[in-house]
């Protein structure tokens, strides 16, 4: 089974502040401010560069943060993507984007 | 420029009953009025050092405290607060008129000047370096601010930090410092010569009194400060004094949570608060003993570690 892909939703803007290994992200579209750890920030940055499969995400983040690409890391990334989706900061690639009026096709 | 103390009690009473007393409070101009004679002397003493504004075409807000309905003039008399001519808040016992005046002014300062980022924080300053004391009601920020002021720190505010967006300036808005319940006696023990206004018992916050702000703090009401510390006070009965570092992201979120208008200012609010936090050494202070708490702060080197890095804006098309 192929690994699903995720991306950063179009038309969204983020502002970042980084202090040591902690990150604050301001989501301009919603006005929400989020605190991320290194893995969360790496995931968000990675999907912001373009759609990426979970398998690739795991490998990329393991390399970037010098972690072992374990099942636990994968589970953490999958859970994180679900939370980011709930916040409007991530979407599965097979999910249609917003129409011209901003409405999503259902 | 004349100050409140330059006027006689009679003159102040006439102004309060009539057009109102126009005061400079930091960058704001407040018009205060009342027909309650018992407010004349407390107003005169609490605002003694405040400059009287010339007749301005626009003040920032007007607060008036007036008698309640005729029915309640003789039995459990009440008073009513008006803000900008509109009745505000539920009627309250007339005996609570002084704290209600201060709370009504607080409400105006917290909600009106949205040209600033407004943080729920006391602010004091020494040697050009500002200390923010953010916290919810009851955290002990006003008590700690009062203690520091009584040890020579300049008072910028006991309730609100005002920051022009895009800057890291802390703009003063000095006012009488509100003290509640046990903190009134704590301040009296800390500084037996402290000048306090009258105590009012039985309010919704318990017993309330106000410390007169030092003349120097009021006179320097147009002089901003640069932030160097953020200290989150946590008053807890019986605890040992403990000052522990707080990470900047944690400090940011705690301050933002306590802000009156962070969400209203959008990304400008985010960038402004981030710049403030980047300049500050951040701590949480648990305390019971005010002497020890003041000493713990005064012995802290506010020099922060390297400022924030990696700030960037990303736009995803």
């Amino acid at each position: 089974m192929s690994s699903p892909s995720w991306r950063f939703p179009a038309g969204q803007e983020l502002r970042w502040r980084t202090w040591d290994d902690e990150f604050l992200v301001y989501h301009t579209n919603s006005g929400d401010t989020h605190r991320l750890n290194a893995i969360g920030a790496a995931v968000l940055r990675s999907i912001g560069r373009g759609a990426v499969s979970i398998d690739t995400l795991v490998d990329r983040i393991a390399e970037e943060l010098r972690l072992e690409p374990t099942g636990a890391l994968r589970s953490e990334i999958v859970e994180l993507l679900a939370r980011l989706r709930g916040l409007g900061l991530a979407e599965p690639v097979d999910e249609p984007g917003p129409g011209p009026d901003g409405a999503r096709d259902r | 420029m004349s100050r409140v103390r330059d006027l006689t009690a009679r003159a102040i009473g006439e102004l309060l009953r009539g057009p109102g007393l126009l005061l400079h409070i930091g960058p704001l101009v407040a018009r205060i009025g009342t027909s309650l004679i018992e407010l004349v002397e407390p107003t005169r003493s609490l605002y003694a050092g405040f400059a009287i504004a010339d007749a301005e075409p626009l003040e920032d807000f007007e607060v008036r405290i007036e008698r309640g309905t005729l029915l309640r003039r003789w039995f459990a008399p009440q008073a009513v607060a008006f803000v900008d001519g509109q009745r505000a808040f539920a009627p309250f016992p007339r005996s609570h008129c002084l704290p209600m005046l201060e709370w009504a002014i607080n409400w105006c300062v917290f909600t009106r000047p949205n040209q600033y980022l407004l943080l729920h924080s006391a602010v004091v300053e020494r040697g050009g370096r500002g200390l923010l004391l953010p916290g919810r009601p009851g955290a002990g920020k006003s008590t700690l601010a009062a203690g520091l002021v009584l040890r020579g720190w300049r008072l910028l505010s006991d309730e609100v930090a005002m920051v022009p967006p895009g800057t890291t300036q802390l703009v003063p808005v000095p006012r009488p410092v509100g003290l509640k319940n046990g903190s009134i006696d704590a301040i009296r023990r800390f500084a037996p010569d402290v000048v306090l206004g009258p105590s009012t018992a039985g309010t919704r916050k318990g017993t309330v009194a106000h410390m007169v702000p030092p003349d120097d703090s009021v006179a320097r009401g147009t002089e901003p400060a640069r932030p160097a510390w953020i200290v989150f006070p946590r008053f807890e009965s019986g605890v040992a004094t403990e000052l522990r570092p707080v990470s900047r992201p944690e400090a940011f979120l705690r301050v933002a949570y306590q802000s009156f208008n962070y969400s209203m200012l959008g990304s400008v609010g985010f960038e402004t608060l981030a710049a403030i936090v980047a300049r500050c050494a951040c701590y949480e202070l648990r305390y019971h003993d005010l002497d020890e708490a003041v000493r713990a702060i005064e012995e802290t080197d506010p020099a922060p570690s390297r400022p924030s890095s990696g700030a960037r804006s990303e736009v995803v098309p």
Side-chain angles (χ1 to χ4, degrees), chain B residues 93-179:
Chain B
R94 180 165 169 166
S95 58
H96 298 178
C97 57
L98 178 58
M100 282 307 302
L101 170 64
E102 289 300 299
W103 288 332
I105 296 172
N106 277 352
W107 185 83
C108 292
V109 176
F110 298 164
T111 60
R112 297 306 177 86
N114 290 302
Q115 67 271 38
Y116 300 97
L117 174 62
L118 303 171
L119 310 175
H120 197 178
S121 173
V123 187
V124 295
E125 173 265 331
R126 170 175 273 180
R129 298 185 297 190
L131 164 62
L132 286 146
L133 300 166
R136 65 185 188 285
K141 59 182 180 297
S142 294
T143 308
L144 189 50
L148 290 163
V149 167
L150 289 165
R151 288 292 181 266
W153 291 62
R154 176 167 67 115
L155 174 71
L156 279 77
S157 175
D158 76 319
E159 284 286 359
V160 60
M162 292 174 53
V163 185
T167 78
T168 53
Q169 292 183 345
L170 301 174
V171 173
V173 57
R175 298 261 317 290
V177 178
L179 302 169

Side-chain angles (χ1 to χ4, degrees), chain A residues 8-20 22-26 28 33 35 45 48, chain B residues 247-250 252-253 262 266-267 270-271 274 278 306 308-309 311-317:
Chain A
F8 188 71
Q12 306 296 301
E13 177 182 305
L14 298 178
R15 292 178 181 262
W16 294 76
R17 280 279 178 158
T18 304
W19 285 293
D20 298 321
E22 294 188 271
F23 304 81
L24 284 180
V25 169
Y26 180 79
T28 305
T33 306
R35 182 180 179 185
R45 282 206 198 99
Chain B
S247 74
R248 287 197 176 88
E250 178 184 342
F252 180 106
L253 291 176
Y262 169 77
S267 59
F270 172 77
E271 298 291 358
R306 60 184 170 81
S308 68
S309 60
R312 65 181 183 275
S313 175
E314 296 182 2
V315 180
V316 180

Side-chain angles (χ1 to χ4, degrees), chain B:
Chain B
M1 182 178 288
S2 60
R3 300 191 181 271
V4 171
R5 65 161 55 91
D6 298 331
L7 301 182
T8 63
R10 180 174 181 171
I12 291 172
E14 287 176 356
L15 282 172
L16 289 172
R17 279 192 304 276
L21 185 61
L22 270 174
L23 297 179
H24 285 290
I25 302 179
L28 307 176
V29 175
R31 187 186 297 270
I32 300 172
T34 184
S35 57
L36 304 187
I37 193 169
E38 64 266 37
L39 274 177
V40 174
E41 194 51 47
T43 301
R44 185 171 180 231
S45 63
L46 291 178
Y47 288 92
F50 285 72
I52 298 172
D54 295 330
E56 299 276 348
L58 284 175
E59 64 267 11
D60 290 282
F61 56 84
E62 178 186 21
V63 172
R64 296 198 71 95
I65 306 293
E66 304 293 1
R67 295 183 186 88
T69 63
L70 187 63
L71 284 174
R72 298 300 294 269
R73 283 200 186 176
W74 310 113
F75 173 72
Q78 291 183 328
V80 182
F82 291 85
V83 173
D84 293 340
Q86 300 294 318
R87 186 164 139 174
F89 320 117
F92 49 90
R94 180 165 169 166
S95 58
H96 298 178
C97 57
L98 178 58
M100 282 307 302
L101 170 64
E102 289 300 299
W103 288 332
I105 296 172
N106 277 352
W107 185 83
C108 292
V109 176
F110 298 164
T111 60
R112 297 306 177 86
N114 290 302
Q115 67 271 38
Y116 300 97
L117 174 62
L118 303 171
L119 310 175
H120 197 178
S121 173
V123 187
V124 295
E125 173 265 331
R126 170 175 273 180
R129 298 185 297 190
L131 164 62
L132 286 146
L133 300 166
R136 65 185 188 285
K141 59 182 180 297
S142 294
T143 308
L144 189 50
L148 290 163
V149 167
L150 289 165
R151 288 292 181 266
W153 291 62
R154 176 167 67 115
L155 174 71
L156 279 77
S157 175
D158 76 319
E159 284 286 359
V160 60
M162 292 174 53
V163 185
T167 78
T168 53
Q169 292 183 345
L170 301 174
V171 173
V173 57
R175 298 261 317 290
V177 178
L179 302 169
K180 300 186 291 284
N181 303 313
S183 68
I184 299 171
D185 287 336
I187 287 296
R188 283 205 171 106
R189 287 192 300 272
F190 184 80
D193 295 336
V194 65
V195 179
L196 298 180
S199 290
T200 304
T203 75
R204 57 189 171 89
K205 296 188 180 185
T207 300
V208 176
H210 299 85
M211 184 181 86
V212 177
D215 280 352
D216 178 68
S217 297
V218 176
R220 294 170 65 188
T222 58
E223 184 184 319
R226 293 286 183 194
W229 297 268
I230 297 173
V231 175
F232 297 92
R234 275 181 61 185
F235 175 80
E236 293 181 35
S237 183
V239 300
T241 304
E242 180 191 1
L243 188 69
R244 73 166 183 92
V246 169
S247 74
R248 287 197 176 88
E250 178 184 342
F252 180 106
L253 291 176
R254 288 173 70 170
V255 174
Y257 185 71
Q258 292 292 332
S259 170
F260 297 110
N261 66 352
Y262 169 77
S263 59
M264 191 185 297
L265 297 186
S267 59
V268 172
F270 172 77
E271 298 291 358
T272 300
L273 183 54
I276 293 276
V277 172
R279 295 179 60 96
C280 292
C282 305
Y283 302 92
E284 179 177 90
L285 174 65
R286 294 176 73 208
Y287 79 97
H288 166 79
D289 185 277
L290 184 57
D291 258 302
E292 290 182 6
V294 168
R295 250 197 320 274
I297 287 178
E298 293 192 322
E299 290 171 359
T300 303
D301 178 0
S305 57
R306 60 184 170 81
S308 68
S309 60
R312 65 181 183 275
S313 175
E314 296 182 2
V315 180
V316 180

